[in-house]
Amino acid sequence: MKKLSYALAAGTLFALSSLAVPAHALPAHPIPNASVPGDVVNARYHYVPRRVCTVRTVVTRGYHGRRVVKRVRVCRTR
């Protein structure tokens, strides 16, 4: 039980200390004359439409009013 309480206290101190340090991921206002590397400028998102297919059951009436059950595959592009 003592180890668990020490671990919980250490985790709490670590969490509080990480919140106190400011983040340096991206400046709020970028420098206007700074150049952007070419790799970032030429990056594009490549989207490939994917087919989504389902099987539907279609019930119709055939010769002499009998039920005809067909399974039809219906596809759409997503």
Side-chain angles (χ1 to χ4, degrees):
M1 193 69 180
K2 199 181 237 188
K3 288 182 182 180
L4 182 65
S5 62
Y6 284 142
L8 188 62
T12 305
L13 287 175
F14 181 71
L16 290 175
S17 66
S18 65
L19 289 176
V21 177
H24 297 289
L26 183 68
H29 299 287
I31 302 168
N33 295 332
S35 64
V36 178
D39 294 338
V40 176
V41 173
N42 294 329
R44 292 189 184 125
Y45 179 71
H46 183 68
Y47 175 74
V48 178
R50 200 175 62 143
R51 288 177 58 181
V52 178
C53 299
T54 57
V55 178
R56 291 186 183 166
T57 304
V58 178
V59 179
T60 57
R61 297 289 172 180
Y63 192 66
H64 294 299
R66 294 190 182 115
R67 286 179 67 190
V68 177
V69 179
K70 289 188 210 174
R71 299 203 182 267
V72 180
R73 188 174 184 201
V74 180
C75 297
R76 63 179 173 88
T77 304
R78 186 174 172 194

Coordinates of all heavy atoms in Angstrom, one line a residue:
M1 N 0.8 -1.2 0.0 CA 0.0 0.0 0.0 C 0.9 1.3 0.0 O 0.5 2.2 -0.6 CB -0.9 -0.1 1.2 CG -2.0 0.9 1.2 SD -3.1 0.4 -0.1 CE -4.3 1.7 0.1
K2 N 2.0 1.2 0.7 CA 2.9 2.3 0.8 C 3.5 2.6 -0.6 O 3.6 3.8 -1.0 CB 4.0 2.0 1.8 CG 4.8 3.2 2.3 CD 5.8 2.7 3.3 CE 5.6 3.3 4.6 NZ 6.7 3.1 5.5
K3 N 3.9 1.5 -1.3 CA 4.4 1.7 -2.7 C 3.4 2.4 -3.6 O 3.8 3.3 -4.4 CB 4.9 0.4 -3.3 CG 6.1 -0.2 -2.7 CD 6.5 -1.5 -3.4 CE 7.7 -2.1 -2.7 NZ 8.0 -3.4 -3.4
L4 N 2.2 2.0 -3.5 CA 1.1 2.6 -4.3 C 0.9 4.1 -4.0 O 0.8 4.9 -5.0 CB -0.2 1.8 -4.1 CG -1.4 2.2 -5.0 CD1 -1.1 2.0 -6.4 CD2 -2.6 1.5 -4.5
S5 N 0.9 4.4 -2.8 CA 0.8 5.8 -2.4 C 2.0 6.7 -2.9 O 1.8 7.8 -3.4 CB 0.5 6.0 -0.9 OG 1.7 5.6 -0.2
Y6 N 3.2 6.1 -2.8 CA 4.4 6.8 -3.3 C 4.3 7.0 -4.8 O 4.6 8.0 -5.4 CB 5.7 6.1 -2.9 CG 6.1 6.3 -1.5 CD1 6.6 5.2 -0.7 CD2 5.9 7.5 -0.8 CE1 7.0 5.4 0.6 CE2 6.2 7.6 0.5 CZ 6.8 6.6 1.2 OH 7.1 6.7 2.5
A7 N 3.9 6.0 -5.5 CA 3.8 6.0 -7.0 C 2.7 7.1 -7.4 O 2.9 7.8 -8.3 CB 3.4 4.7 -7.5
L8 N 1.6 7.1 -6.7 CA 0.5 8.1 -7.0 C 1.0 9.5 -6.7 O 0.8 10.4 -7.5 CB -0.7 7.7 -6.1 CG -1.9 8.5 -6.4 CD1 -2.4 8.3 -7.9 CD2 -3.0 8.2 -5.5
A9 N 1.8 9.7 -5.6 CA 2.3 11.0 -5.3 C 3.3 11.4 -6.4 O 3.3 12.6 -6.8 CB 2.9 11.0 -3.9
A10 N 4.2 10.5 -6.8 CA 5.2 10.8 -7.8 C 4.5 11.2 -9.1 O 4.9 12.1 -9.8 CB 6.2 9.7 -8.0
G11 N 3.5 10.4 -9.5 CA 2.8 10.7 -10.7 C 2.1 12.0 -10.7 O 2.0 12.8 -11.7
T12 N 1.5 12.4 -9.6 CA 0.9 13.7 -9.4 C 1.9 14.8 -9.6 O 1.6 15.8 -10.2 CB 0.1 13.8 -8.1 OG1 -0.8 12.7 -7.9 CG2 -0.6 15.1 -7.9
L13 N 3.0 14.7 -8.9 CA 4.1 15.7 -9.0 C 4.6 15.9 -10.5 O 4.8 17.0 -10.9 CB 5.2 15.4 -8.1 CG 4.9 15.6 -6.6 CD1 6.1 15.2 -5.8 CD2 4.6 17.1 -6.3
F14 N 4.7 14.7 -11.1 CA 5.2 14.8 -12.5 C 4.2 15.4 -13.4 O 4.5 16.2 -14.3 CB 5.4 13.3 -13.0 CG 5.9 13.3 -14.4 CD1 7.2 13.7 -14.7 CD2 5.1 12.8 -15.4 CE1 7.7 13.7 -16.1 CE2 5.5 12.8 -16.7 CZ 6.8 13.2 -17.0
A15 N 2.9 15.2 -13.2 CA 1.8 15.8 -14.0 C 1.8 17.3 -13.8 O 1.6 18.1 -14.7 CB 0.5 15.1 -13.7
L16 N 1.9 17.7 -12.5 CA 1.8 19.1 -12.2 C 3.1 19.9 -12.8 O 3.0 21.0 -13.3 CB 1.7 19.3 -10.7 CG 0.4 19.0 -10.1 CD1 0.4 19.1 -8.6 CD2 -0.8 19.8 -10.7
S17 N 4.2 19.2 -12.7 CA 5.4 19.9 -13.3 C 5.4 20.0 -14.8 O 5.9 20.9 -15.4 CB 6.7 19.1 -12.8 OG 6.7 17.8 -13.4
S18 N 4.8 19.0 -15.5 CA 4.7 19.0 -16.9 C 3.7 20.1 -17.4 O 3.8 20.7 -18.5 CB 4.3 17.7 -17.5 OG 3.0 17.3 -17.1
L19 N 2.7 20.4 -16.6 CA 1.7 21.5 -16.9 C 2.3 22.8 -16.7 O 1.9 23.8 -17.3 CB 0.4 21.3 -16.1 CG -0.5 20.1 -16.4 CD1 -1.6 20.0 -15.5 CD2 -1.0 20.2 -17.8
A20 N 3.3 22.9 -15.8 CA 3.9 24.2 -15.5 C 4.8 24.7 -16.6 O 5.1 25.9 -16.7 CB 4.6 24.2 -14.1
V21 N 5.4 23.8 -17.3 CA 6.4 24.1 -18.4 C 5.6 24.6 -19.6 O 4.7 23.9 -20.1 CB 7.3 22.9 -18.7 CG1 8.2 23.2 -19.8 CG2 8.0 22.5 -17.5
P22 N 6.0 25.7 -20.2 CA 5.2 26.2 -21.4 C 5.6 25.3 -22.6 O 6.7 24.8 -22.7 CB 5.7 27.6 -21.6 CG 7.1 27.7 -20.9 CD 7.0 26.7 -19.8
A23 N 4.6 25.2 -23.5 CA 4.9 24.4 -24.7 C 5.6 25.2 -25.8 O 5.3 26.4 -26.0 CB 3.5 23.9 -25.3
H24 N 6.5 24.6 -26.5 CA 7.3 25.3 -27.5 C 7.1 24.6 -28.9 O 8.0 24.5 -29.7 CB 8.8 25.2 -27.2 CG 9.1 26.0 -26.0 ND1 9.0 27.4 -25.9 CD2 9.5 25.6 -24.7 CE1 9.3 27.8 -24.7 NE2 9.6 26.7 -23.9
A25 N 5.9 24.1 -29.1 CA 5.6 23.3 -30.4 C 5.6 24.2 -31.6 O 6.2 24.0 -32.6 CB 4.3 22.5 -30.2
L26 N 4.9 25.3 -31.5 CA 4.7 26.2 -32.6 C 4.5 27.6 -32.1 O 3.7 27.9 -31.2 CB 3.4 25.8 -33.4 CG 3.2 26.6 -34.7 CD1 4.2 26.3 -35.7 CD2 1.8 26.3 -35.3
P27 N 5.3 28.6 -32.6 CA 5.1 30.0 -32.1 C 3.7 30.5 -32.5 O 3.1 30.1 -33.5 CB 6.2 30.8 -32.8 CG 6.6 29.9 -33.9 CD 6.3 28.5 -33.6
A28 N 3.2 31.4 -31.7 CA 1.8 31.9 -31.9 C 1.8 32.8 -33.1 O 0.8 32.7 -33.9 CB 1.4 32.8 -30.7
H29 N 2.8 33.6 -33.4 CA 2.8 34.4 -34.6 C 4.1 34.1 -35.4 O 5.2 34.5 -34.9 CB 2.8 35.9 -34.2 CG 1.5 36.3 -33.5 ND1 0.3 36.4 -34.1 CD2 1.3 36.6 -32.2 CE1 -0.6 36.7 -33.2 NE2 0.0 36.8 -32.1
P30 N 4.0 33.4 -36.5 CA 5.2 33.1 -37.2 C 5.9 34.4 -37.8 O 5.3 35.4 -38.0 CB 4.8 32.2 -38.3 CG 3.3 32.4 -38.4 CD 2.8 32.9 -37.1
I31 N 7.2 34.3 -38.0 CA 8.0 35.4 -38.5 C 7.6 35.5 -40.0 O 7.6 34.6 -40.8 CB 9.5 35.1 -38.4 CG1 9.8 34.9 -36.9 CG2 10.3 36.2 -39.0 CD1 11.2 34.3 -36.7
P32 N 7.2 36.8 -40.5 CA 6.8 36.9 -41.8 C 7.8 36.6 -42.9 O 7.5 36.2 -44.0 CB 6.4 38.4 -41.9 CG 6.6 39.0 -40.6 CD 7.2 38.0 -39.7
N33 N 9.1 36.9 -42.7 CA 10.1 36.6 -43.7 C 10.7 35.2 -43.6 O 11.6 34.9 -44.4 CB 11.2 37.7 -43.5 CG 10.7 39.1 -43.8 OD1 9.7 39.2 -44.6 ND2 11.3 40.1 -43.2
A34 N 10.3 34.4 -42.7 CA 10.8 33.1 -42.6 C 10.4 32.2 -43.7 O 9.2 32.2 -44.2 CB 10.4 32.4 -41.3
S35 N 11.3 31.4 -44.3 CA 10.9 30.5 -45.4 C 10.5 29.2 -44.9 O 11.0 28.7 -43.9 CB 12.1 30.4 -46.4 OG 13.2 29.8 -45.7
V36 N 9.6 28.5 -45.6 CA 9.1 27.2 -45.2 C 9.9 26.2 -46.1 O 10.1 26.4 -47.3 CB 7.6 27.1 -45.5 CG1 7.1 25.7 -45.2 CG2 6.9 28.2 -44.8
P37 N 10.3 25.1 -45.5 CA 11.0 24.1 -46.3 C 10.2 23.5 -47.4 O 8.9 23.5 -47.3 CB 11.3 23.0 -45.3 CG 11.2 23.6 -43.9 CD 10.3 24.8 -44.1
G38 N 10.8 23.1 -48.5 CA 10.1 22.7 -49.7 C 9.2 21.4 -49.5 O 8.2 21.2 -50.1
D39 N 9.6 20.6 -48.5 CA 8.9 19.4 -48.3 C 7.5 19.7 -47.7 O 6.5 19.0 -48.0 CB 9.6 18.5 -47.3 CG 10.9 17.9 -47.9 OD1 11.0 17.9 -49.1 OD2 11.8 17.5 -47.1
V40 N 7.4 20.7 -46.9 CA 6.1 21.0 -46.3 C 5.2 21.7 -47.3 O 4.0 21.4 -47.4 CB 6.3 22.0 -45.1 CG1 5.0 22.4 -44.5 CG2 7.2 21.3 -44.0
V41 N 5.8 22.5 -48.2 CA 5.0 23.2 -49.2 C 4.4 22.2 -50.2 O 3.2 22.3 -50.7 CB 5.8 24.2 -50.0 CG1 5.0 24.8 -51.1 CG2 6.2 25.3 -49.0
N42 N 5.1 21.1 -50.6 CA 4.7 20.2 -51.6 C 3.9 19.0 -51.1 O 3.6 18.1 -51.9 CB 5.9 19.7 -52.4 CG 6.6 20.8 -53.2 OD1 5.9 21.7 -53.6 ND2 7.9 20.7 -53.4
A43 N 3.6 19.0 -49.8 CA 2.9 17.9 -49.3 C 1.4 18.0 -49.7 O 0.8 19.0 -49.6 CB 3.0 17.9 -47.8
R44 N 0.9 16.9 -50.2 CA -0.5 16.8 -50.6 C -1.2 15.6 -50.1 O -0.6 14.6 -49.8 CB -0.6 16.7 -52.2 CG -0.1 18.0 -52.8 CD -0.4 18.0 -54.3 NE 0.2 19.1 -54.9 CZ 1.0 19.1 -55.9 NH1 1.4 18.0 -56.5 NH2 1.5 20.3 -56.4
Y45 N -2.5 15.7 -49.9 CA -3.3 14.6 -49.4 C -3.8 13.8 -50.6 O -4.5 14.4 -51.5 CB -4.4 15.1 -48.5 CG -5.3 14.0 -48.0 CD1 -4.8 13.1 -47.0 CD2 -6.6 13.8 -48.5 CE1 -5.6 12.1 -46.5 CE2 -7.4 12.8 -48.0 CZ -6.9 12.0 -47.0 OH -7.7 11.0 -46.6
H46 N -3.5 12.5 -50.6 CA -3.9 11.7 -51.8 C -5.2 10.9 -51.3 O -5.1 10.0 -50.5 CB -2.8 10.8 -52.2 CG -3.1 9.9 -53.4 ND1 -3.3 10.5 -54.6 CD2 -3.3 8.6 -53.5 CE1 -3.6 9.5 -55.5 NE2 -3.6 8.4 -54.8
Y47 N -6.3 11.2 -51.9 CA -7.6 10.5 -51.6 C -8.0 9.6 -52.7 O -8.0 9.9 -53.8 CB -8.7 11.6 -51.4 CG -10.0 11.0 -51.2 CD1 -10.3 10.4 -49.9 CD2 -11.0 11.0 -52.1 CE1 -11.6 9.8 -49.7 CE2 -12.2 10.4 -51.9 CZ -12.5 9.8 -50.7 OH -13.7 9.3 -50.4
V48 N -8.2 8.3 -52.3 CA -8.6 7.3 -53.2 C -10.0 6.9 -52.8 O -10.3 6.4 -51.7 CB -7.7 6.0 -53.2 CG1 -8.2 5.0 -54.1 CG2 -6.3 6.4 -53.5
P49 N -11.0 7.1 -53.7 CA -12.4 6.8 -53.4 C -12.5 5.2 -53.2 O -12.0 4.5 -54.0 CB -13.2 7.2 -54.6 CG -12.3 7.6 -55.6 CD -10.9 7.7 -55.1
R50 N -13.2 4.8 -52.2 CA -13.3 3.4 -51.8 C -14.7 3.0 -52.1 O -15.7 3.7 -51.8 CB -13.0 3.3 -50.4 CG -12.6 1.9 -50.0 CD -12.2 1.9 -48.5 NE -13.4 2.3 -47.7 CZ -13.6 1.8 -46.5 NH1 -12.8 0.9 -46.0 NH2 -14.7 2.2 -45.8
R51 N -14.9 1.8 -52.6 CA -16.2 1.3 -52.9 C -16.7 0.6 -51.6 O -16.1 -0.2 -51.0 CB -16.2 0.2 -54.0 CG -15.9 0.9 -55.4 CD -15.8 -0.1 -56.5 NE -17.0 -1.0 -56.5 CZ -17.2 -2.0 -57.3 NH1 -16.2 -2.3 -58.2 NH2 -18.3 -2.7 -57.3
V52 N -18.0 0.9 -51.3 CA -18.7 0.3 -50.2 C -19.8 -0.5 -50.7 O -20.7 0.1 -51.3 CB -19.2 1.4 -49.2 CG1 -19.9 0.8 -48.0 CG2 -18.0 2.2 -48.7
C53 N -19.8 -1.8 -50.6 CA -20.8 -2.6 -51.1 C -21.6 -3.3 -50.0 O -21.1 -3.7 -49.0 CB -20.2 -3.7 -52.0 SG -19.3 -3.0 -53.4
T54 N -22.9 -3.5 -50.3 CA -23.8 -4.2 -49.4 C -24.6 -5.1 -50.2 O -24.8 -5.0 -51.4 CB -24.7 -3.3 -48.6 OG1 -25.5 -2.5 -49.5 CG2 -23.9 -2.3 -47.7
V55 N -25.2 -6.1 -49.5 CA -26.0 -7.1 -50.2 C -27.5 -6.9 -49.7 O -27.7 -6.9 -48.5 CB -25.6 -8.5 -49.9 CG1 -26.5 -9.5 -50.6 CG2 -24.2 -8.8 -50.4
R56 N -28.4 -6.6 -50.7 CA -29.8 -6.3 -50.3 C -30.6 -7.5 -50.8 O -30.3 -8.1 -51.9 CB -30.3 -5.0 -51.0 CG -29.6 -3.8 -50.4 CD -30.3 -2.6 -50.9 NE -29.6 -1.4 -50.4 CZ -29.8 -0.2 -50.9 NH1 -30.5 0.0 -51.9 NH2 -29.2 0.8 -50.3
T57 N -31.6 -7.8 -50.1 CA -32.6 -8.9 -50.5 C -33.8 -8.2 -51.2 O -34.4 -7.4 -50.6 CB -33.0 -9.7 -49.3 OG1 -31.8 -10.1 -48.6 CG2 -33.9 -10.8 -49.7
V58 N -34.0 -8.6 -52.4 CA -35.1 -8.1 -53.2 C -36.1 -9.2 -53.4 O -35.8 -10.3 -53.9 CB -34.7 -7.6 -54.6 CG1 -35.8 -7.1 -55.4 CG2 -33.6 -6.5 -54.4
V59 N -37.4 -9.0 -53.0 CA -38.4 -10.0 -53.1 C -39.4 -9.5 -54.2 O -40.0 -8.4 -54.0 CB -39.2 -10.2 -51.7 CG1 -40.3 -11.2 -51.9 CG2 -38.2 -10.6 -50.7
T60 N -39.6 -10.3 -55.2 CA -40.6 -10.0 -56.3 C -41.5 -11.2 -56.4 O -41.3 -12.2 -55.8 CB -39.8 -9.7 -57.6 OG1 -39.0 -10.8 -57.9 CG2 -38.9 -8.5 -57.5
R61 N -42.5 -11.0 -57.3 CA -43.4 -12.1 -57.6 C -43.1 -12.6 -59.0 O -43.0 -11.8 -59.9 CB -44.9 -11.5 -57.6 CG -45.3 -11.1 -56.2 CD -45.5 -12.2 -55.3 NE -45.7 -11.7 -53.9 CZ -45.9 -12.5 -52.9 NH1 -45.9 -13.8 -53.0 NH2 -46.1 -12.1 -51.7
G62 N -43.0 -13.9 -59.1 CA -42.7 -14.5 -60.3 C -43.9 -15.1 -61.0 O -45.0 -14.6 -60.9
Y63 N -43.7 -16.1 -61.8 CA -44.7 -16.8 -62.5 C -45.8 -17.4 -61.6 O -45.4 -18.0 -60.6 CB -44.1 -17.9 -63.4 CG -44.9 -18.5 -64.4 CD1 -45.4 -17.7 -65.5 CD2 -45.3 -19.8 -64.4 CE1 -46.2 -18.3 -66.4 CE2 -46.1 -20.4 -65.3 CZ -46.6 -19.6 -66.4 OH -47.4 -20.2 -67.3
H64 N -47.0 -17.2 -61.8 CA -48.1 -17.6 -61.0 C -48.1 -17.0 -59.6 O -48.6 -17.7 -58.6 CB -48.2 -19.2 -60.9 CG -48.5 -19.8 -62.2 ND1 -49.6 -19.6 -62.9 CD2 -47.8 -20.7 -63.0 CE1 -49.6 -20.3 -64.1 NE2 -48.5 -21.0 -64.1
G65 N -47.5 -15.9 -59.4 CA -47.5 -15.2 -58.1 C -46.6 -15.8 -57.1 O -46.7 -15.4 -55.9
R66 N -45.7 -16.6 -57.5 CA -44.7 -17.2 -56.5 C -43.7 -16.1 -56.1 O -43.3 -15.3 -56.9 CB -44.0 -18.4 -57.1 CG -44.9 -19.5 -57.3 CD -44.1 -20.8 -57.6 NE -45.0 -21.9 -57.9 CZ -45.1 -22.4 -59.1 NH1 -44.4 -22.0 -60.1 NH2 -46.0 -23.4 -59.3
R67 N -43.2 -16.2 -54.9 CA -42.2 -15.3 -54.4 C -40.8 -15.7 -55.0 O -40.4 -16.8 -54.9 CB -42.1 -15.3 -52.9 CG -43.2 -14.7 -52.1 CD -43.0 -14.8 -50.7 NE -41.9 -14.0 -50.2 CZ -41.3 -14.0 -49.0 NH1 -41.8 -14.9 -48.1 NH2 -40.3 -13.3 -48.7
V68 N -40.1 -14.7 -55.5 CA -38.8 -14.9 -56.0 C -37.9 -14.0 -55.2 O -38.0 -12.8 -55.1 CB -38.7 -14.5 -57.5 CG1 -37.2 -14.6 -58.0 CG2 -39.6 -15.3 -58.3
V69 N -36.9 -14.6 -54.5 CA -36.0 -13.9 -53.6 C -34.7 -13.8 -54.3 O -34.1 -14.8 -54.6 CB -35.9 -14.6 -52.2 CG1 -34.9 -13.8 -51.4 CG2 -37.2 -14.7 -51.6
K70 N -34.2 -12.6 -54.5 CA -32.9 -12.3 -55.1 C -32.0 -11.6 -54.1 O -32.5 -10.7 -53.4 CB -33.0 -11.5 -56.4 CG -33.6 -12.1 -57.6 CD -33.5 -11.2 -58.7 CE -34.6 -11.4 -59.7 NZ -34.6 -10.4 -60.8
R71 N -30.8 -11.9 -54.2 CA -29.8 -11.1 -53.4 C -29.0 -10.3 -54.4 O -28.3 -10.8 -55.3 CB -28.9 -12.0 -52.6 CG -29.6 -12.9 -51.6 CD -28.7 -13.4 -50.5 NE -29.5 -14.2 -49.6 CZ -30.1 -13.8 -48.5 NH1 -30.1 -12.5 -48.2 NH2 -30.7 -14.6 -47.7
V72 N -29.1 -9.0 -54.2 CA -28.5 -8.0 -55.2 C -27.4 -7.3 -54.5 O -27.6 -6.8 -53.3 CB -29.6 -7.0 -55.7 CG1 -28.9 -6.0 -56.7 CG2 -30.7 -7.8 -56.3
R73 N -26.2 -7.2 -55.1 CA -25.1 -6.5 -54.5 C -25.2 -5.0 -55.0 O -25.2 -4.7 -56.2 CB -23.8 -7.1 -55.0 CG -22.6 -6.5 -54.3 CD -21.4 -7.3 -54.8 NE -20.2 -6.8 -54.0 CZ -19.0 -7.0 -54.4 NH1 -18.7 -7.6 -55.5 NH2 -18.0 -6.5 -53.8
V74 N -25.2 -4.1 -54.1 CA -25.3 -2.7 -54.4 C -24.1 -2.0 -53.9 O -23.7 -2.1 -52.7 CB -26.6 -2.0 -53.7 CG1 -26.7 -0.6 -54.0 CG2 -27.8 -2.8 -54.2
C75 N -23.4 -1.3 -54.8 CA -22.1 -0.6 -54.4 C -22.3 0.9 -54.6 O -22.9 1.4 -55.5 CB -21.0 -1.1 -55.2 SG -20.6 -2.8 -55.0
R76 N -21.6 1.6 -53.7 CA -21.5 3.1 -53.9 C -20.1 3.5 -53.6 O -19.3 2.8 -52.9 CB -22.4 3.8 -52.9 CG -22.1 3.6 -51.4 CD -23.1 4.3 -50.6 NE -22.9 4.0 -49.2 CZ -22.1 4.6 -48.4 NH1 -21.3 5.6 -48.8 NH2 -21.9 4.3 -47.1
T77 N -19.7 4.6 -54.2 CA -18.3 5.1 -54.0 C -18.3 6.1 -52.8 O -19.2 7.0 -52.7 CB -17.9 5.9 -55.2 OG1 -18.0 5.0 -56.3 CG2 -16.4 6.3 -55.1
R78 N -17.4 5.9 -51.9 CA -17.4 6.7 -50.7 C -16.4 7.8 -50.8 O -15.3 7.7 -51.3 CB -17.0 5.8 -49.5 CG -17.0 6.4 -48.2 CD -16.8 5.4 -47.2 NE -16.6 6.1 -45.9 CZ -16.2 5.5 -44.8 NH1 -15.8 4.3 -44.8 NH2 -16.1 6.2 -43.7

